[in-house]
Amino acid sequence: MEKANSTIVRHEAELPKEPFTETDMLLQWNKYAQRLGDKGYKILEALLLINDPKLKGTTIYHELPNEGSKIEFESEKHDLLGHLRGKLHNYDIQIEVVVNETVENKFAFTPQDKYNRLNEINPSLDILRKTFDLDI
């Protein structure tokens, strides 16, 4: 009876460590995000899908735009980690959050600035301007 009631404790060496690819990881990451969205956790879903995480070894690097989103993500990190470890059969997986607040907003005020900005987006604009001999 004692054997039946004792909990099964696995040592770290016994846990699976199967290799996986970044594609496998992204598939499970997106499935988890979809499941969160279906449950109504739209903000967490958006944080997971804000960009594709990068895989280096067994560490997943996920870039977020600010500290507030990092705090929100950290609340779900444990469950996400459990999902990924279980589905990918690798218990060495770690998630690192990188905050990148360097978002550049370029504002165009003069007609020349506006033209330069649009020309960066679509270089064919310059050909159109020259073909029809247009002023800026």
Side-chain angles (χ1 to χ4, degrees), residues 5-88:
N5 287 338
S6 67
T7 59
I8 298 173
V9 178
R10 287 190 168 178
H11 297 286
E12 195 172 313
E14 297 174 8
L15 295 173
K17 296 176 182 169
E18 295 178 13
F20 61 94
T21 64
E22 188 168 4
T23 306
D24 297 334
M25 181 270 301
L26 285 173
L27 179 68
Q28 292 304 322
W29 184 280
N30 290 331
K31 282 183 181 180
Y32 189 80
Q34 178 68 40
R35 193 169 80 192
L36 285 176
D38 293 343
K39 289 181 182 178
Y41 298 107
K42 297 294 185 183
I43 294 173
L44 288 171
E45 178 188 22
L47 289 177
L48 286 169
L49 299 176
I50 201 164
N51 61 27
D52 287 340
K54 305 294 181 218
L55 180 67
K56 292 182 184 169
T58 58
T59 305
I60 300 167
Y61 293 92
H62 187 54
E63 189 175 303
L64 294 173
N66 57 46
E67 282 294 325
S69 58
K70 178 182 177 180
I71 292 168
E72 188 75 24
F73 179 81
E74 293 286 339
S75 69
E76 190 62 31
K77 181 177 168 180
H78 181 71
D79 293 338
L80 171 62
L81 201 51
H83 173 80
L84 292 173
R85 286 176 173 174
K87 295 293 184 180
L88 298 173

Side-chain angles (χ1 to χ4, degrees), residues 96-118:
E96 293 291 326
V97 179
V98 179
V99 176
N100 184 5
E101 293 186 7
T102 58
V103 177
E104 294 182 22
N105 288 333
K106 294 182 180 179
F107 296 103
F109 296 106
T110 66
Q112 182 66 45
D113 291 341
K114 290 177 185 177
Y115 172 76
N116 291 340
R117 177 69 182 126
L118 288 172

